[in-house]
Amino acid sequence: MAQPHQRPSGFEKGQRHFLADRRSGGAIGRMSEQQGAPEQLAAGKSQGGAGATYKVVLFEFENFQGSKAEFSAECQDVLEKGLQKVASVIVECGPWVAYDRHGFTGEQFILEKGQYPRWDTWTNSQNSYSLLSLKPLKLDSADHKIHLFENPGFTGRKLEIIDDDVPSLWGHGFQDRVASVKALNGTWVGYMYPGYRGRQFIFELGDFKHWNDWHAPVPQIQSVRRVRDMQWHKTGCFSAVDPAPAPTPDPDPAPAPPVPSTKGGSS
């Protein structure tokens, strides 16, 4: 997924474990992340709690220019707020899920806390350039657990993911065919391609017996990650790893050694 401008800092990767179970002809992947107590406990109210607050600002033009509209609750048609289109977004309190059609239908876009100066910072599927409806995305837990199944009705090979993000299902011994899903804890977003790229699919707590249940055109998911907020996870939301900072110059450098004289001596 294209990296939003000024996203929160990246999170630490936890320890990963992979277990293979060939008794049923399938493979079970298990990834776990060690979390400290401060990260597991909510500071105040969680984003998904009864008193949660949400705020997003939509702008008509790129780079936060033109007319704008603020939202703190779901909206089935953002154009009714006086906008002709949506070309940039600032999420002050989130996360949100946006759609390219009215009435919470069509392609989905996950919007976590941060700034999105143009459309390709919230999607790289290039199938849609519209954002016409949106709603807050409630998070039920600080913990995350999801089961991915090869066939509809929770049958076939299964991949279990616990408190981790998986940039490639193939890299963990699982194929790209995902036809049913059980979201047991937390909220997740799946992508059609590796590296969190392509069309996005939101998995809130519940069972999805068929790929039509998450409005996918085909049973294909190749990467999946957690949706996290700043209350449950103090290290922040999903973010690409920032490049290493350039070294700072020494404020008090040592003096350079004297240069040897180049004059020839007397004969």
Side-chain angles (χ1 to χ4, degrees):
M1 185 176 73
Q3 179 183 359
H5 183 59
Q6 297 182 2
R7 281 277 187 99
S9 60
F11 55 85
E12 294 182 353
K13 287 290 183 181
Q15 294 182 344
R16 294 184 172 182
H17 305 280
F18 184 77
L19 306 177
D21 183 358
R22 300 294 181 183
R23 292 190 298 272
S24 60
I28 300 176
R30 179 185 295 267
M31 279 64 69
S32 63
E33 177 176 345
Q34 293 180 339
Q35 296 178 340
E39 290 183 321
Q40 293 180 354
L41 299 178
K45 299 174 181 177
S46 76
Q47 299 274 12
T53 58
Y54 295 83
K55 184 178 179 181
V56 63
V57 185
L58 307 184
F59 295 83
E60 197 166 28
F61 302 122
E62 294 180 359
N63 298 313
F64 322 114
Q65 302 297 314
S67 301
K68 66 179 182 179
E70 297 184 2
F71 300 86
S72 57
E74 65 180 35
C75 179
Q76 297 195 43
D77 185 359
V78 300
L79 301 185
E80 292 181 348
K81 302 299 182 179
L83 300 175
Q84 296 297 317
K85 62 178 181 179
V86 176
S88 54
V89 177
I90 296 178
V91 178
E92 297 186 8
C93 296
W96 296 71
V97 55
Y99 301 82
D100 71 339
R101 299 179 187 174
H102 304 99
F104 316 124
T105 58
E107 192 167 342
Q108 306 171 28
F109 314 115
I110 183 69
L111 296 172
E112 292 162 295
K113 185 176 181 180
Q115 298 183 1
Y116 303 78
R118 52 176 284 121
W119 70 270
D120 59 3
T121 56
W122 66 74
T123 179
N124 58 18
S125 71
Q126 299 184 0
N127 291 327
S128 176
Y129 305 90
S130 300
L131 193 162
L132 297 179
S133 57
L134 79 170
K135 62 182 178 180
L137 190 57
K138 292 178 171 54
L139 307 181
D140 69 289
S141 166
D143 301 319
H144 290 77
K145 184 177 181 180
I146 192 171
H147 290 170
L148 310 180
F149 295 86
E150 179 183 15
N151 298 325
F154 317 118
T155 59
R157 300 179 68 206
K158 181 181 78 172
L159 181 70
E160 180 182 72
I161 305 170
I162 301 175
D163 289 330
D164 206 356
D165 305 308
V166 180
S168 172
L169 299 187
W170 281 101
H172 291 278
F174 199 72
Q175 73 284 328
D176 61 351
R177 177 182 170 85
V178 177
S180 54
V181 173
K182 284 190 175 185
L184 304 175
N185 293 102
T187 302
W188 299 77
V189 54
Y191 298 81
M192 289 192 70
Y193 303 116
Y196 315 119
R197 296 179 298 109
R199 189 164 179 173
Q200 307 170 33
F201 307 105
I202 306 300
F203 296 101
E204 297 181 88
L205 185 67
D207 293 347
F208 303 81
K209 295 182 179 181
H210 192 276
W211 65 86
N212 290 339
D213 293 343
W214 63 84
H215 309 291
V218 293
Q220 176 180 321
I221 292 177
Q222 295 191 34
S223 54
V224 63
R225 68 175 179 87
R226 298 161 291 176
V227 179
R228 306 192 294 173
D229 66 15
M230 296 296 291
Q231 297 290 339
W232 287 115
H233 302 87
K234 296 182 182 300
T235 54
C237 303
F238 170 81
S239 176
V241 178
D242 295 328
T248 56
D250 189 347
D252 188 19
V259 179
S261 175
T262 58
K263 292 184 179 180
S266 59
S267 56

